[in-house]
Every structure is written in structure tokens, then in C-alpha cells.
Amino acid sequence: MQKPLPFDAETVRRIVEKYPTPFYLYDEQGMRETARGLNAAFAWCPGFREYFAVKALPNPYVLELLMDEGLGADCSSLAELELAERVGLTGEDLMFTSNNTQAHEYRKAAALGAIINLDDLSHIEYLKEHVGLPDLLCFRYNPGSAREGNVIIGKPEEAKYGFTEAQLFEGYSTLKAAGVKRFGLHTMVASNELNGDFFVETARMVFDLAVRIYQQLGIRMEFVNLGGGIGIPYRPEQKAVDLQAVGQGVKRVYDAMIAGTALDPLKVMMENGRMITGPHGFLVTTAIHHKHIYRDYVGVDACMSNLMRPGMYGAYHHISVLGKENAPHDRIVDVVGSLCENNDKFAINRPLPTVERGDLLVIHDAGAHGHAMGFQYNGKLRCAELLMKPDGSVKLIRRAETHADYFATLDFSGLACSPKR
Ligand SMILES: *Cc1c(COP(=O)(O)O)cnc(C)c1O
């Protein structure tokens, strides 16, 4: 089975003449359309907002185009906050959902006026001591055994995140007593979940909590944040989540539980990363070697340091051999990088057409948690990121690292050999 590409082989060959492989190529039009689709699915909900999870693709050009589609930014570190700030996102355009957070990070979030989402009961005191309590605060709920997680995020009761239910009640009453005026409730219980009903159930769970918190504490939640985690069809036979159905499903639960009550209007928010940019990013790499031992290998010039999801999670990423999409896929190969790590494989036992040295391979669905997870193990360098604009032009939005970058943090001056150099 095939997966479509938003560009043809000729276009990619022209790009490769200017920018050597490996590189990431992002499709701006696709990202914009996906963002619009999510906004349209929740158009019924006054104040709906998607905060793009910056960690999925932390690039200012991407943040800017998503901001242009009305998205905010979900940050979890100082650097992510600064990235968002520098493209012009401030105040409640920013959600700060962090964990094990340091005071300087809270200070930055507070200075920007971001919505601070606390991960633990003890952080109320910590925030108060180091920064002071803002008017608006949100808590992250971990439902524990009340809810099944999924493969990537694991079981909620084994996850380090969030408050227990009892802690939520305690925390909100502490905030109320301390004079906090505005309240939000957050949860995130899935990652890469393709079953849209899962998110409707998450909405039901947090609406129910918001109702009980109102009844018991007299606290009116201003928003609920359903987290991120909407999955994408990495495999060609999988189907994308029907966003319209998710939006309508959440609306039905809203109408049944919230509409017409004292909690109405209650804003619904999300903080997806993967579904917004994942399908619209491609890692382009060149085949450089073949090897035939107990198995057949195709060696490419990218490696796991460019995209670690297959090695880390055993994740499937579809691969197209440019110009050979319609050739018979009658070779079974492992597609490998050059790390001295045997899990440095982009594909295992994958049927592909005959790959020749110099062929361009496009690794699909790498637009989220792809480049961002890059590392320098084995002295490998992070590659460039390119953005294809709706008019077909291509812009370099992050240069490739150089060997000078790699050596920049090292110090040779105190070594016996240094005078000679
Ligand atoms: C990673 C993360 C997200 C985004 O997850 P996706 O699977 O990319 O949608 C959102 N919120 C939090 C708190 C996260 O840690």
C-alpha cells in the first residue's frame, strides 16, 4: 500500500541539488489545513483553543504559521516559552504544562502571563514561594486506575504526571482560600490515540469533575484542557481520526452535562502536537550502501539521531523510494543508519522496490517528535529543516549543524597536546 506525498520526485531532486540530504521537509499547506480542520470541528464551542505542543516541532516558522491559524502554544520548558515569545505569542496564548518544574521556568511563564498548569499539589506552595500565585491557575489531573492509558503514554497510575482526584479537591480549595480567581482543569491520558471516542470519554471525565468541583467547592471552572494525543495514521492501512466526529461527540457530552448549567460557557482546549504537524513532515535521505549478510540492508545517510521514533518505540514510519512508488515492492530489507547501535533502523523487514545507491528515500510522518528528538550520539549532527510554502517555494528554516557546532562546547586548552594544535 502507498501513502501519498505532497510533492513529486522532480521537486525533491531539485531541492537536493541545493540542500544536501538528510533534511526534513515540511508542508506548510498541509499543516494549515489540519489546524483549520481541528478548529472547524470545535467551532460550536465558544472559546475553543488548540495550543500546539511546541516540543513536537519547535521551529519559529512553524509556530508563526500555526499562530496565523489561531493556535496558541503549549510549552513545558524555558526554551519553549522563549521560542513562543519570540514569534509573538504571549499571555493566554501560552499554556505552560510542565512537570518537575524549576523556579526560573515558572518565573518566565508568569512574566509572560502564560496559563500555568501545575503538575503537583506541592507546586502550589513552590509557586507561591518563588513567584507568587497568579489570578488564573490550572491543575493537571491523573485519573490513575480510573482510566486506561495507551501504549505510548502507558497506564495513568504508572505515569509521573498530575494530581490524584483527592489532591485536586484539596488544591482547588487551597487556591480559593489564597485568593486565586480563575481556574482551569487539564488532563492528558493518551498519546497517538487513533480512536476518536477516547477523547470524547476524556471530555466526559473532566466535565464530570468540573461539575463535582463546582458542587463541592463552589469553584466555577473557566476551561477544561483535554490535552494532546490525537494520533495519526503512520501505517498506510490506518485511518486518520475523524475530527468532526470528535468535535460532535464532545458537543453531545457538553450539551448533556454542561449546557444550561452554572458552568456554561465552559471553554474547551486541547494541546495536540503530533496530529497538527506529524503527517506534514518528511525526512529525506539518500541510499548510500547495500549489505547482504543474514539479512539485506539498505544504508542511508540519515540515522536514528535524526529520527529516533523507530529505534525508541519500534514505531512504524512509511518509506517511499522516490520515483519507484509504483515499482514492485519485492525486496525485503532493513533500512539502517550508521550509529553503532543495532536499533538504528528506520524499517525492519520492509518490502521495498530495489533500492540503488543514490536513490532518495522519503520517511513519512516525521513532522512531530522527529527533528525535535534529535541528538548527537556517535558525533552525528542534527540535519536541516526546510519549509515548503503553499506557492511551492522552499525556505531553510533551520540550518544543519556543522562539525564546528559539535566542537563548540568542548575545551581542548588544558590538554597536553594543546600547544601543538
Ligand atoms: C507531549 C505532550 C503533548 C502533545 O502530545 P501529542 O501526542 O504530540 O499530541 C501535549 N501535552 C503535554 C502535556 C505533553 O506532554
Side-chain angles (χ1 to χ4, degrees):
M1 271 174 109
Q2 285 191 31
K3 275 193 132 217
L5 290 168
F7 36 71
D8 59 22
E10 208 32 60
T11 304
V12 181
R13 285 196 195 102
R14 250 183 291 121
I15 297 170
V16 171
E17 282 171 19
K18 187 156 178 205
Y19 302 103
T21 57
F23 56 76
Y24 273 82
L25 181 56
Y26 302 122
D27 169 25
E28 173 173 334
Q29 189 63 31
M31 291 178 183
R32 284 183 180 274
E33 282 167 13
T34 298
R36 279 173 210 167
L38 183 61
N39 281 335
F42 284 90
W44 61 267
C45 179
F48 172 78
R49 191 125 196 234
E50 154 75 8
Y51 291 79
F52 174 67
V54 173
K55 73 167 192 260
L57 178 38
N59 188 292
Y61 284 87
V62 172
L63 294 188
E64 184 177 61
L65 77 89
L66 295 177
M67 181 171 105
D68 188 48
E69 296 298 336
L71 273 54
D74 172 44
C75 304
S76 61
S77 67
L78 182 67
E80 290 178 3
L81 283 167
E82 182 174 337
L83 253 174
E85 176 190 19
R86 287 174 65 173
V87 303
L89 290 155
T90 54
E92 293 177 22
D93 296 331
L94 301 171
M95 184 77 64
F96 186 58
T97 302
S98 58
N99 70 91
N100 197 20
T101 314
Q102 300 194 38
H104 69 275
E105 297 174 307
Y106 277 137
R107 225 171 277 125
K108 179 71 176 177
L112 291 172
I115 302 173
I116 295 179
N117 186 10
L118 296 186
D119 186 68
D120 190 64
L121 186 59
S122 66
H123 286 220
I124 299 172
E125 204 44 51
Y126 186 81
L127 185 66
K128 198 166 146 191
E129 184 186 326
H130 291 278
V131 188
L133 293 181
D135 281 347
L136 167 63
L137 269 176
C138 179
F139 292 156
R140 177 172 186 165
Y141 172 50
N142 180 335
S145 57
R147 200 73 203 284
E148 300 262 320
N150 69 1
V151 180
I152 290 193
I153 210 158
K155 291 182 181 171
E157 71 260 43
E158 292 171 6
K160 65 174 174 171
Y161 310 111
F163 290 54
T164 66
E165 183 173 321
Q167 288 175 336
L168 276 186
F169 280 82
E170 186 186 336
Y172 284 117
S173 48
T174 303
L175 292 190
K176 190 180 176 191
V180 171
K181 305 250 161 14
R182 300 167 59 204
F183 304 90
L185 172 61
H186 168 279
T187 198
M188 165 128 181
V189 283
S191 189
N192 194 27
E193 177 57 59
L194 281 172
N195 178 1
D197 294 340
F198 198 97
F199 300 93
V200 178
E201 283 317 301
T202 297
R204 188 192 309 280
M205 178 181 80
V206 291
F207 290 159
D208 171 65
L209 256 174
V211 168
R212 288 188 288 124
I213 290 164
Y214 179 70
Q215 288 167 347
Q216 290 178 40
L217 304 175
I219 286 174
R220 196 185 158 278
M221 219 49 77
E222 183 173 316
F223 69 84
V224 293
N225 182 338
L226 308 180
I230 294 180
I232 59 171
Y234 284 100
R235 292 176 181 272
E237 68 274 14
Q238 288 174 325
K239 273 181 61 185
V241 172
D242 180 345
L243 297 177
Q244 204 59 38
V246 173
Q248 286 305 305
V250 174
K251 181 176 190 304
R252 273 193 299 278
V253 183
Y254 187 98
D255 287 345
M257 299 173 74
I258 305 293
T261 73
L263 285 167
D264 192 15
L266 174 63
K267 289 185 228 172
V268 175
M269 297 174 174
M270 290 199 85
E271 51 186 33
N272 293 285
R274 188 187 317 272
M275 68 143 296
I276 302 290
T277 57
H280 310 300
F282 303 85
L283 175 57
V284 180
T285 181
T286 304
I288 53 173
H289 290 294
H290 288 97
K291 182 173 168 121
H292 307 285
I293 46 171
Y294 309 104
R295 275 193 193 175
D296 291 340
Y297 295 92
V298 171
V300 295
D301 62 0
C303 68
M304 187 183 166
S305 69
N306 302 112
L307 176 67
M308 74 187 290
R309 297 189 71 261
M312 182 169 173
Y313 304 118
Y316 179 94
H317 279 263
H318 199 68
I319 297 178
S320 294
V321 183
L322 273 191
K324 296 185 175 174
E325 290 88 343
N326 297 316
H329 284 43
D330 54 5
R331 301 298 171 100
I332 307 290
V333 296
D334 285 11
V335 178
V336 302
S338 55
L339 288 196
C340 304
E341 272 291 334
N342 197 41
N343 59 353
D344 180 18
K345 297 185 176 185
F346 292 112
I348 295 174
N349 286 331
R350 180 75 55 90
L352 285 182
T354 303
V355 176
E356 282 146 295
R357 185 174 286 175
D359 276 350
L360 291 170
L361 275 64
V362 178
I363 303 179
H364 293 243
D365 301 304
H369 314 294
H371 189 284
M373 280 190 180
F375 55 93
Q376 292 183 325
Y377 187 55
N378 257 186
K380 300 297 171 178
L381 303 173
R382 295 182 191 87
C383 65
E385 295 180 291
L386 306 174
L387 182 66
M388 183 177 284
K389 308 275 212 172
D391 68 5
S393 64
V394 169
K395 180 164 179 58
L396 179 69
I397 59 171
R398 187 198 293 263
R399 70 163 172 82
E401 285 178 341
T402 63
H403 281 272
D405 292 326
Y406 182 85
F407 283 94
T409 53
L410 292 170
D411 178 11
F412 291 85
S413 64
L415 303 178
C417 60
S418 61
K420 281 178 255 139
R421 293 224 38 178

